[in-house]
Amino acid sequence: MSVKRKILVWSLVGVATLLLLISTLTIWTKRQLLDTDNWTKTSGQLLANDQVRGALSLKLTNLLFQQVDVAQQLKSRLPAQLQGLAPVAAGALENAAPRAVNAFLGTDAAQTLWEHSNRQMHRQLIRVLEGKKLGGHLSTSGGEVTLDVRPMLLKVSDRLGVTEELNARAGPNAGKIVILKAKQLQAAQTAVQALHVLTMLLVLVVLALYALAIYLARGSRRTTLEVVGGCIFLVGLLLLIAQRLLGDAIINAVVKTDANRPAGHEIWMIATSILRDIAIALVVYGLLTVLAGVLAGPSRAATTVRRWLAPSFRRHVVVVYAVFVGILLILLAWAPLASDRRLLGTLVIFALILVGFEVLRRQTIREFPEPEVAPTPAAKPPAGRAPS
């Protein structure tokens, strides 16, 4: 292979690896932020986490007590001789409220309400980002996308017995959270449209560039295949490291209160669980690609393996493929590799692996052909008898 061709091949591998890293991040973003099922699953995992639920309980309690004068409400309910104790009772209630709210959020009913609210919210949010008509709890009044969490706030107030005061004092915007401001909406809609296009396009470009590099590497295709596998493995490993290190840096920079940092770390790990699964899948696929290149190589161990497999590759093709497909199905059913797996992506990966396996099988058959059977010599007639 000429020097110019080598430069072209390694340039293609380098560009494809960079695009693989970018495409991995776009896939994670699309699956995590734009897929309603994944969003709902993640929100449920967040509420089920003790650290996150504790922080959420404290936040809801503070929000509720900002809207309700608990001391005044208690004073109106207590007998005249005990009304002086209302501030003390209100303070005790405010201290005990986070534990009561936490206990409520840990129930199946709260989990169901939380997941249902998040599912409805996410569906409506996606409609906004895709420029469709709105409904439900989301609105775009004033050019802003807002989410009404008043139903959850009312459940908490019922738990604490302050619903009447909340209804009387809460303003029209109580329980509304601004998700996107007017100046952010257009940019978000454009980003979502670009994400839909880039996700599939980048994957196809990466596969095409890797395939082109291997095709052009005449005389060193096996080595190029091993390098491609190593690059895929490296991207997966970098993502696993980045998930841990970047998470610590981001949480420490964003969360200023030390008491909230454990919950922040838990939120980061849960929110990036899909990214972790994609990274593990890349590590496995990279190792399989390297292994394929090694098995096709000239090493003594690889040659021995191919010689041992040659008879089965020739005589029991159906059985060999049945075993190989069974192993592939087990790998694809493994949790990290099966996470949110799309049918098209599964078929592409399946086809590429099968093509590589068939190339290895044919190489093995060429290297170790069926040994020729020597012809059986004709039987000699017994001594003393003339042939008839």
Side-chain angles (χ1 to χ4, degrees):
M1 187 167 58
S2 65
V3 175
K4 290 184 178 180
R5 187 180 287 266
K6 284 183 179 180
I7 294 175
L8 177 59
V9 167
W10 299 128
S11 298
L12 290 173
V13 171
V15 172
T17 302
L18 178 61
L19 292 180
L20 175 62
L21 178 61
I22 297 173
S23 67
T24 300
L25 295 176
T26 61
I27 291 172
W28 166 59
T29 302
K30 182 180 178 182
R31 291 183 181 179
Q32 185 63 66
L33 299 182
L34 303 182
D35 187 286
T36 298
D37 290 336
N38 284 332
W39 180 277
T40 305
K41 179 181 177 182
T42 300
S43 66
Q45 291 174 338
L46 289 174
L47 190 64
N49 183 273
D50 293 338
Q51 295 281 357
V52 177
R53 190 172 62 250
L56 180 62
S57 301
L58 184 59
K59 185 68 176 179
L60 285 176
T61 302
N62 292 338
L63 180 62
L64 182 63
F65 276 77
Q66 289 173 4
Q67 301 292 331
V68 176
D69 187 349
V70 178
Q72 181 62 37
Q73 185 171 1
L74 290 175
K75 185 176 181 180
S76 64
R77 294 186 178 184
L78 290 173
Q81 62 272 23
L82 297 178
Q83 288 181 355
L85 298 177
V88 178
L93 178 61
E94 187 171 358
N95 291 330
R99 292 193 294 272
V101 174
N102 195 350
F104 164 68
L105 294 179
T107 62
D108 292 339
Q111 184 80 20
T112 301
L113 177 62
W114 174 259
E115 292 185 3
H116 176 75
S117 299
N118 273 275
R119 181 177 294 277
Q120 295 301 318
M121 178 275 294
H122 193 267
R123 285 176 177 172
Q124 298 296 329
L125 179 59
I126 295 302
R127 294 181 68 85
V128 172
L129 295 177
E130 294 178 350
K132 299 178 182 178
K133 187 177 179 181
L134 276 177
H137 295 298
L138 277 172
S139 67
T140 54
S141 58
E144 295 181 340
V145 180
T146 59
L147 172 64
D148 186 6
V149 294
R150 190 181 179 92
M152 179 65 76
L153 201 58
L154 288 174
K155 288 286 186 180
V156 173
S157 64
D158 285 341
R159 193 82 173 183
L160 299 177
V162 294
T163 304
E164 294 181 3
E165 181 72 7
L166 176 65
N167 290 331
R169 293 176 58 90
N173 293 324
K176 287 187 177 181
I177 300 175
V178 176
I179 299 176
L180 284 175
K181 296 182 179 179
K183 61 182 180 180
Q184 300 171 328
L185 182 56
Q186 184 62 44
Q189 290 174 333
T190 302
V192 167
Q193 293 174 359
L195 196 61
H196 281 303
V197 175
L198 284 177
T199 301
M200 182 54 65
L201 180 61
L202 284 177
V203 172
L204 294 177
V205 170
V206 168
L207 293 176
L209 290 178
Y210 277 144
L212 181 60
I214 295 172
Y215 173 76
L216 293 176
R218 295 173 184 171
S220 59
R221 287 174 176 166
R222 182 187 57 79
T223 303
T224 306
L225 178 65
E226 293 176 359
V227 172
V228 168
C231 290
I232 296 173
F233 171 83
L234 181 61
V235 170
L237 187 61
L238 286 176
L239 290 173
L240 288 175
I241 296 174
Q243 186 213 15
R244 176 67 63 177
L245 297 183
L246 286 181
D248 293 341
I250 291 173
I251 297 303
N252 291 335
V254 174
V255 181
K256 303 302 181 182
T257 305
D258 292 340
N260 292 334
R261 284 179 179 171
H265 284 287
E266 294 295 331
I267 292 174
W268 171 263
M269 296 305 295
I270 293 173
T272 57
S273 60
I274 293 178
L275 180 63
R276 183 186 65 247
D277 290 344
I278 294 175
I280 293 175
L282 289 177
V283 168
V284 173
Y285 293 143
L287 289 176
L288 289 177
T289 304
V290 173
L291 178 61
V294 172
L295 283 178
S299 67
R300 178 178 299 178
T303 303
T304 301
V305 172
R306 292 199 301 273
R307 182 184 294 110
W308 178 72
L309 291 174
S312 298
F313 280 177
R314 285 193 304 268
R315 304 170 190 170
H316 309 291
V317 180
V318 175
V319 175
V320 168
Y321 265 98
V323 173
F324 186 70
V325 170
I327 295 174
L328 285 182
L329 292 176
I330 292 174
L331 283 175
L332 291 174
W334 179 37
L337 300 188
S339 177
D340 196 34
R341 175 71 60 212
R342 297 294 192 267
L343 177 61
L344 179 60
T346 301
L347 293 178
V348 170
I349 293 173
F350 213 87
L352 290 175
I353 295 177
L354 288 177
V355 169
F357 182 74
E358 178 60 19
V359 170
L360 177 64
R361 190 184 73 86
R362 294 188 180 188
Q363 174 189 337
T364 302
I365 292 176
R366 287 195 304 269
E367 287 180 329
F368 305 101
E370 186 79 44
E372 296 182 1
V373 180
T376 305
K380 296 182 178 180
R385 292 184 56 183
S388 55

